[in-house]
Amino acid sequence: VASAPGKVLMTGGYLVLERPNAGIVLSTNARFYAIVKPLYEEIKPESWAWAWTDVKLTSPQMARETMYKLSLKHLKLQPSNISGSRNPFVEHAVQYAVAAAHVTLDKDMKETLQKLLLQGLDITILGCNEFYSYRNQIEARGLPLTPESLASLPPFASITFNAEESTGENRKPEVAKTGLGSSAAMTTAVVAALLHYLGVVNLSSLAGNQLQGKKDVADLDVLHVIAQTAHCIAQGKVGSGFDVSSAVYGSQRYIRFSPEVLSSAQNAGMATPLTEVIGDVLKAKWDHERTKFSLPPLMTLLLGEPGSGGSSTPSMVGAVKKWQKSDPQDSLETWRRLSEGNSALEAHLNTLCKLAERHYNAYECIINACSLLPAEKWLERANEPTQAEIVKELLGARDAMLRIRYQMRKMGEAAGIPIEPESQSQLLDATMNMEGVLLAGIPGAGGFDAVFAVTLGASSKNVTQAWSSLNVLAMLVREDPHGVSLENNGPRAKEITTAISSIQLE
């Protein structure tokens, strides 16, 4: 059982698509799980030809099961029963992970690999409730829009179906997503579970999420390359990759890789052996940059779902690119200012981390005092120079966030898309004025998906209550700076096994 986290892109929306702009991405406690085990206890006698093996993919939340044949020569998956839509992310993850095993394992390990493959692969995927919107169910049950109502849902709750289509055979899941990067987390979890199962990497030492040494980092790097490749090819385009990077390594400051590293995978024809494609991407010069980053102590990340429907990131990105082409001068200036705001926010947060390390008592004292007051009264509570310095950094971070929001709105207006729609602006302004709120903004590409806030001390409870009265559902998402993890012996492994046995396929 391997898991990978969802993400929140706090700064760097749009800019992170182009090098050398950086984005700050926080990984969360919402995780996707992949369980890999043999499909058959023994190798089937008819496998003597050793040309094909079976792969079963189960998604209990969507009440979906698909059987595939995997060609052991070409490593391509062929569905043997198609009910409903296919999952290209998982399909690419399986093919590329198996190809990576063929490329990287030595002769002695190849025999074990062959046996594992001939036993078939039984793969189950599960996503935490936080990846999906259950707002409709909560309202239908007459429950208040609070995190407590969300917590009352069973883990890995089934994703509801469209009522009007439920009579037909091809019922489509009504998947309203919350924008946490479910496809990246799912792809990464499947690749991680398979690479570990097939002996390509060893994720055991990551149980405590502490990298033990170079070997661990090298294993994560292999996992990162395979997950990025699978995700980009399944998506049909080379994105910035911040979502996969945070799913692998956790919270970070990220600068994208050059898209050329994937050219061999993009240009591979049907006749190109998959092992050759994967060999090339593993050897390519991956030039992304990541620096460790997480929120300063005593700060909480909150996400709210305004319930105004989601937004399509690809079409918004398309509109911004069109505007950049039509007005290069103005767009460059806006991007420069956005970049300055992002760098300023990052610098203030990093300074706060250092101040917390050096003067923890003063830091704790002033953060708790500020958590009870609106921002304009924070400076009054600073009793000595260190506390005044901390408040100065807090106010600097707020100011940087306001500048970022201003430039994002400007970009949206110029490109003709609602990056920070009026309804979101009012909500964010109201949130920024609440006691103990440091920042409020729209994550990633913006639009109507979600809003985030960063709160001080214990003030998050009041914010979630205030949001509820404004018809905003505070989600159960928090920052968890850890990336991919092996769950085999942890307490979560038991939870997952229980959850799977309780979710019966329809």
Side-chain angles (χ1 to χ4, degrees):
V1 183
S3 71
K7 54 70 196 165
V8 173
L9 185 67
M10 197 164 82
T11 71
Y14 299 98
L15 273 73
V16 78
L17 290 164
E18 290 176 16
R19 290 172 61 82
N21 297 315
I24 290 177
V25 55
L26 304 179
S27 54
T28 67
N29 57 349
R31 297 182 89 85
F32 239 92
Y33 296 86
I35 300 106
V36 176
K37 58 185 188 209
L39 192 53
Y40 309 115
E41 281 177 36
E42 285 160 23
I43 296 170
K44 289 169 29 182
E46 64 267 28
S47 302
W48 62 271
W50 289 10
W52 298 88
T53 188
D54 296 324
V55 176
K56 177 170 130 183
L57 171 63
T58 312
S59 170
Q61 286 161 296
M62 299 207 182
R64 190 177 289 161
E65 190 177 276
T66 311
M67 285 300 296
Y68 295 93
K69 291 276 180 210
L70 174 69
S71 154
L72 293 181
K73 185 181 176 195
H74 305 291
L75 311 181
K76 296 277 167 71
L77 280 174
Q78 298 287 342
S80 40
N81 73 328
I82 274 295
S83 57
S85 54
R86 293 170 64 165
N87 187 329
F89 294 99
V90 177
E91 290 176 17
H92 281 85
V94 173
Q95 292 173 158
Y96 291 3
V98 174
H102 278 281
V103 172
T104 56
L105 294 175
D106 55 29
K107 268 210 173 80
D108 304 344
M109 295 284 288
K110 286 270 164 67
E111 205 175 309
T112 315
L113 171 66
Q114 190 73 349
K115 278 183 185 157
L116 280 175
L117 291 176
L118 285 170
Q119 280 183 276
L121 295 170
D122 184 350
I123 304 167
T124 306
I125 50 169
L126 290 165
C128 280
N129 292 348
E130 287 76 22
F131 284 102
Y132 305 106
S133 171
Y134 290 93
R135 196 184 159 107
N136 293 349
Q137 281 94 311
I138 287 174
E139 288 175 335
R141 288 182 186 184
L143 295 171
L145 286 175
T146 61
E148 291 74 22
S149 299
L150 274 177
S152 71
L153 295 170
F156 311 115
S158 138
I159 297 160
T160 53
F161 288 90
N162 283 319
E164 65 274 15
E165 293 193 22
S166 60
T167 48
E169 274 305 291
N170 294 330
R171 296 185 301 167
K172 289 197 181 93
E174 181 190 81
V175 184
K177 295 185 180 175
T178 52
L180 292 177
S182 53
S183 62
M186 173 173 64
T187 306
T188 304
V190 172
V191 171
L194 278 167
L195 291 181
H196 183 85
Y197 178 74
L198 299 174
V200 179
V201 301
N202 182 0
L203 302 177
S204 304
S205 51
L206 297 180
N209 286 297
Q210 291 307 311
L211 294 184
Q212 306 300 322
K214 282 187 179 154
K215 172 79 177 87
D216 287 345
V217 178
D219 278 354
L220 282 185
D221 291 346
V222 169
L223 163 55
H224 175 251
V225 168
I226 302 300
Q228 279 293 12
T229 308
H231 191 252
C232 286
I233 302 301
Q235 211 167 223
K237 65 178 192 338
V238 180
S240 67
F242 73 85
D243 43 6
V244 172
S245 189
S246 60
V248 175
Y249 304 102
S251 294
Q252 59 191 276
R253 174 188 191 267
Y254 175 82
I255 296 174
R256 72 158 306 153
F257 53 86
S258 302
E260 297 79 64
V261 295
L262 283 173
S263 56
S264 63
Q266 281 183 295
N267 303 328
M270 291 303 284
T272 315
L274 209 47
T275 46
E276 197 182 296
V277 173
I278 293 305
D280 284 348
V281 293
L282 282 167
K283 284 192 289 241
K285 188 180 168 0
W286 286 78
D287 51 0
H288 57 286
E289 291 170 40
R290 57 181 175 84
T291 320
K292 225 175 151 211
F293 180 90
S294 66
L295 287 176
L298 305 178
M299 292 190 187
T300 303
L301 170 73
L302 285 183
L303 276 181
E305 205 192 318
S308 33
S311 297
S312 160
T313 302
S315 61
M316 289 174 71
V317 169
V320 167
K321 285 188 169 163
K322 201 169 146 192
W323 161 66
Q324 281 178 287
K325 271 191 190 143
S326 67
D327 193 348
Q329 205 176 344
D330 191 38
S331 62
L332 265 173
E333 182 58 19
T334 304
W335 275 45
R336 187 183 63 75
R337 292 193 172 170
L338 253 177
S339 185
E340 280 171 5
N342 290 342
S343 301
L345 177 58
E346 188 190 326
H348 289 301
L349 293 173
N350 282 332
T351 306
L352 284 162
C353 284
K354 287 183 190 125
L355 287 167
E357 247 172 69
R358 281 189 230 123
H359 315 280
Y360 190 76
N361 290 348
Y363 177 88
E364 181 182 34
C365 185
I366 190 68
I367 292 288
N368 287 335
C370 293
S371 73
L372 304 168
L373 299 165
E376 65 268 17
K377 300 207 166 140
W378 289 354
L379 210 47
E380 296 166 16
R381 296 305 301 269
N383 299 326
E384 37 98 16
T386 307
Q387 289 189 350
E389 195 184 344
I390 292 165
V391 171
K392 204 178 98 211
E393 292 299 328
L394 292 172
L395 295 173
R398 276 177 71 85
D399 183 52
M401 188 75 224
L402 290 169
R403 295 208 306 274
I404 292 168
R405 281 183 51 203
Y406 174 74
Q407 296 301 334
M408 287 289 253
R409 280 198 302 275
K410 208 172 143 187
M411 178 161 72
E413 281 158 22
I417 48 166
I419 291 179
E420 188 185 293
E422 181 57 35
S423 57
Q424 302 286 60
S425 292
Q426 289 172 5
L427 172 61
L428 294 174
D429 292 342
T431 306
M432 287 281 273
N433 292 332
M434 291 175 196
E435 285 87 2
V437 173
L438 177 66
L439 311 171
I442 36 169
F448 294 95
D449 275 356
V451 292
F452 76 84
V454 174
T455 61
L456 305 178
S459 60
S460 58
K461 192 150 177 45
N462 302 335
V463 176
T464 59
Q465 283 170 352
W467 273 359
S468 180
S469 67
L470 294 167
N471 204 30
V472 176
L473 174 59
M475 291 152 63
L476 296 164
V477 176
R478 295 289 180 269
E479 185 200 10
D480 174 355
H482 302 123
V484 83
S485 170
L486 196 66
E487 304 285 350
N488 290 8
N489 304 314
R492 277 192 292 211
K494 286 194 187 74
E495 259 178 53
I496 295 155
T497 337
T498 319
I500 292 175
S501 49
S502 69
I503 305 169
Q504 291 304 314
L505 274 170
E506 287 178 7

